[in-house]
């Protein structure tokens, strides 16, 4: 190959942005042409979106300008929307133009998984992007304003969160902190408000340590959250939800956090997918396509028991590091390294100064776990932007 190898990275989520940052550190200036494609000119910290969604934090704190963290002499940034992936032609169709590649990294992120629940796509909101959380925050505030005009409509003050995994629990925790302030702002009796967390599994935070789950549940119940567990949502409609039990909850606010699936573009590209996600090989490549890597929500990586790891930010970041290493190794005709996920621990926030966490065999709760969450955020900021980004964005 006389020209430089062309690497295209689709998506600037955790996996994509870490891949780009690591490539610009490890590649020399004359080793490859690297292009990063993203539909926005910013990267956002997905694990913190529950706060601006509830209105307890400014959305700009989760937003990082891509051009502030990439080296434009090594990475070309293209702001565009991906329309089609053509693996056999080695081309990417954008909303304006076409890109050719030799090596492709797909980190396009996921889409809400509604499990076929009628009305969930049409009437529920989702915590998936800065635009979506802005909509949720403004919608919640608007419900209080509407209630002042129609005080007999208690459904304006009823909030349903579908799914009690990490995102759902972190969001209801922030919502429980936010609503008393909105009640004071709009002169509304707090006893008129309702927050429901509805989970189909027998417990909130399915699969998490039971002692910490009980702590989280009691903490949130003390803050006014009502849990309905072991009960799926059967239908979502404009004025509420219907549970599998037949119970109906009247509400004008449904936020769905019950699951994600991979990006639909992967299936359209002809890859074998499960719920839109590709089960990658040990090097994170698409089977049958040694030049295409998949990271983040679009990938499936199996653990030692043959079960898929949950698609978390932590695994996406480690995938980005691994993919960058293997791309550099390929260009330099060196051996590839298999991906091995190493869990650094798990943290779920329960508001500004409360959280639960597992680090190794240690269980943390309360302020210590909350502090750990802040340290994880700082570490990530340092990974992608060094000390300058930590100074600009870290919230101590």
């Amino acid at each position: 190959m006389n020209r430089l190898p062309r690497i295209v990275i689709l998506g600037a989520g955790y996996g994509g942005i870490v891949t780009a940052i690591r490539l610009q550190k490890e590649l020399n200036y004359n080793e490859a042409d690297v292009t990063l494609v993203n539909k926005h000119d910013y990267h956002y910290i997905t694990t913190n979106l529950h706060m601006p969604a509830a209105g307890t934090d400014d959305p700009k704190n989760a937003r990082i300008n891509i051009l502030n963290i990439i080296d434009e002499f090594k990475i070309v940034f293209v702001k565009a929307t991906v329309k089609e992936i053509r693996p056999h032609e080695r081309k990417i169709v954008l909303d304006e133009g076409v890109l050719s590649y030799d090596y492709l990294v797909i980190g396009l992120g996921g889409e809400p998984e509604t499990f076929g629940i009628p009305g969930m796509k049409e009437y529920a909101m989702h915590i998936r992007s800065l635009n979506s959380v802005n909509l949720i925050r403004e919608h919640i505030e608007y419900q209080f304003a509407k209630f002042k005009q129609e005080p007999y409509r208690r459904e304006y003050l009823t909030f349903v969160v579908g799914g009690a995994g990490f995102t759902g629990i972190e969001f209801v925790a922030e919502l429980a902190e936010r609503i008393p302030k909105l009640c004071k702002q709009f002169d509304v009796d707090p006893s008129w408000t309702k927050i429901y967390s509805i989970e189909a599994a027998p417990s909130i935070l399915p699969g998490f340590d039971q002692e910490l789950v009980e702590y989280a549940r009691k903490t949130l119940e003390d803050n006014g959250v009502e849990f309905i567990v072991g009960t799926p949502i059967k239908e979502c409609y404009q004025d509420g939800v219907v549970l599998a039990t037949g119970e109906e909850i009247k509400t004008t606010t449904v936020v769905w956090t019950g699951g994600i699936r991979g990006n639909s573009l992967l299936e359209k590209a002809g890859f074998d997918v499960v719920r839109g996600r590709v089960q990658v090989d040990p090097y994170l490549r698409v089977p049958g396509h040694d030049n295409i890597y998949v990271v983040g929500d679009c990938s499936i990586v199996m653990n030692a028991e043959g079960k898929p790891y949950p698609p978390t930010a932590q695994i996406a970041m480690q995938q980005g590091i691994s993919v960058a290493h293997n791309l550099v190794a390929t260009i330099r005709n060196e051996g590839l390294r298999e991906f091995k996920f190493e869990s650094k621990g798990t943290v779920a926030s329960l508001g500004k100064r409360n959280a639960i966490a597992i680090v190794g065999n240690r269980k943390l709760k309360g302020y210590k776990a909350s502090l750990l969450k802040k340290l994880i955020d700082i570490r990530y900021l340092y990974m992608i932007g060094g000390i300058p980004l930590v100074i600009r964005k870290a919230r101590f």
Side-chain angles (χ1 to χ4, degrees):
M1 186 182 295
N2 294 325
R3 56 174 171 73
L4 295 179
R6 299 165 299 186
I7 300 172
V8 173
I9 304 168
L10 303 180
Y14 288 101
I17 203 70
V18 170
T19 300
I21 296 298
R22 297 292 290 203
L23 284 175
Q24 74 180 17
K25 289 181 178 179
E26 296 180 24
L27 286 172
N28 297 318
Y29 282 104
N30 60 347
E31 282 193 283
D33 287 329
V34 183
T35 301
L36 173 63
V37 180
N38 197 57
K39 63 182 177 181
H40 303 297
D41 58 6
Y42 55 83
H43 163 74
Y44 54 85
I45 304 175
T46 309
T47 54
N48 287 348
L49 290 182
H50 58 282
M51 294 185 289
T56 57
D57 194 22
D58 192 320
K60 71 180 182 182
N61 291 329
R63 174 175 172 156
I64 298 168
N65 190 314
I66 291 173
L67 294 180
N68 287 343
I69 57 176
I70 65 169
D71 181 347
E72 294 181 78
F73 290 102
K74 286 188 173 182
I75 308 287
V76 175
F77 173 63
V78 175
K79 181 181 176 182
T81 299
V82 179
K83 294 296 185 179
E84 188 180 353
I85 300 169
R86 297 178 179 173
H88 297 293
E89 299 178 31
R90 297 194 175 191
K91 293 183 183 297
I92 304 298
V93 179
L94 307 176
D95 50 357
E96 294 183 5
V98 177
L99 284 177
S100 297
Y101 64 85
D102 299 302
Y103 303 99
L104 179 66
V105 182
I106 303 174
L108 288 170
E111 300 171 355
E113 174 60 272
T114 60
F115 303 103
I117 300 172
M120 195 61 76
K121 282 186 178 180
E122 293 81 3
Y123 300 115
M125 293 174 285
H126 310 274
I127 302 175
R128 296 300 303 159
S129 66
L130 284 178
N131 290 332
S132 71
V133 301
N134 284 332
L135 175 63
I136 294 171
R137 184 190 72 253
E138 292 173 2
H139 171 87
I140 290 170
E141 293 171 356
Y142 183 48
Q143 301 317 293
F144 278 83
K146 288 173 70 176
F147 178 76
K148 296 303 291 184
Q149 300 299 316
E150 303 175 78
Y152 53 91
R153 299 285 299 275
R154 293 289 181 89
E155 62 267 32
Y156 290 152
L157 302 182
T158 299
F159 305 92
V160 169
V161 180
F166 277 77
T167 301
I169 289 300
E170 290 184 323
F171 175 64
V172 295
E174 296 294 327
L175 193 57
E177 290 190 358
R178 173 71 167 149
I179 281 181
K181 297 176 182 177
L182 288 172
C183 288
K184 186 175 181 180
Q185 178 183 343
F186 288 92
D187 193 24
V188 169
D189 186 337
S191 67
W192 295 345
T193 65
K194 295 283 187 182
I195 304 174
Y196 290 99
S197 174
I198 303 174
E199 171 58 50
S203 171
I204 67 170
L205 298 169
F208 203 59
D209 177 83
Q210 195 57 39
E211 177 188 339
L212 296 179
V213 167
E214 291 173 3
Y215 173 84
R217 179 162 181 162
K218 184 179 186 308
T219 297
L220 297 178
E221 286 178 337
D222 289 345
N223 287 339
V225 178
E226 296 184 35
F227 289 99
I228 301 175
V229 300
T231 307
I233 295 176
K234 181 181 178 181
E235 181 183 355
C236 177
Y237 62 101
Q238 189 170 6
D239 296 316
V241 295
V242 179
L243 307 184
T245 58
E247 179 185 356
E248 184 177 358
I249 299 176
K250 288 284 191 178
T251 178
T252 53
T253 305
V254 179
V255 178
W256 177 249
T257 68
I260 57 171
R261 59 184 292 115
N263 195 290
S264 57
L265 289 174
L266 277 77
E267 185 172 8
K268 293 175 182 176
F271 302 141
D272 289 332
V273 298
V274 178
R275 288 174 55 191
R277 303 168 66 199
V278 174
Q279 184 172 335
V280 293
D281 73 9
Y283 305 101
L284 302 177
R285 300 175 302 188
V286 177
H289 299 272
D290 289 350
N291 64 326
I292 302 178
Y293 295 82
V294 184
V295 296
D297 293 343
C298 291
S299 68
I300 297 176
V301 177
M302 296 297 186
N303 62 20
E305 289 75 40
K307 296 181 179 180
Y309 286 110
T312 62
Q314 182 179 177
I315 194 171
M317 287 185 281
Q318 292 186 30
Q319 287 177 320
I321 294 171
S322 179
V323 167
H325 172 88
N326 285 337
L327 285 169
V328 173
T330 300
I331 290 170
R332 295 174 181 172
N333 295 314
E334 298 171 353
L336 302 185
R337 184 171 65 198
E338 291 189 4
F339 175 72
K340 301 293 183 184
F341 175 59
E342 297 180 11
S343 177
K344 307 296 183 182
T346 307
V347 184
S349 66
L350 302 175
K352 284 291 181 289
R353 295 176 178 82
N354 202 352
I356 53 175
I358 292 181
V359 182
N361 294 322
R362 294 188 62 195
K363 302 176 186 178
L364 301 175
K365 54 190 175 184
Y367 180 72
K368 288 183 178 179
S370 179
L371 181 60
L372 178 62
K373 166 74 171 172
K374 290 181 172 62
L375 292 175
I376 291 171
D377 289 344
I378 291 170
R379 179 180 178 273
Y380 177 65
L381 292 173
Y382 181 77
M383 176 190 293
I384 64 172
I387 293 295
L389 187 61
V390 171
I391 293 173
R392 289 200 309 272
K393 290 292 182 179
R395 297 162 61 250
F396 298 96

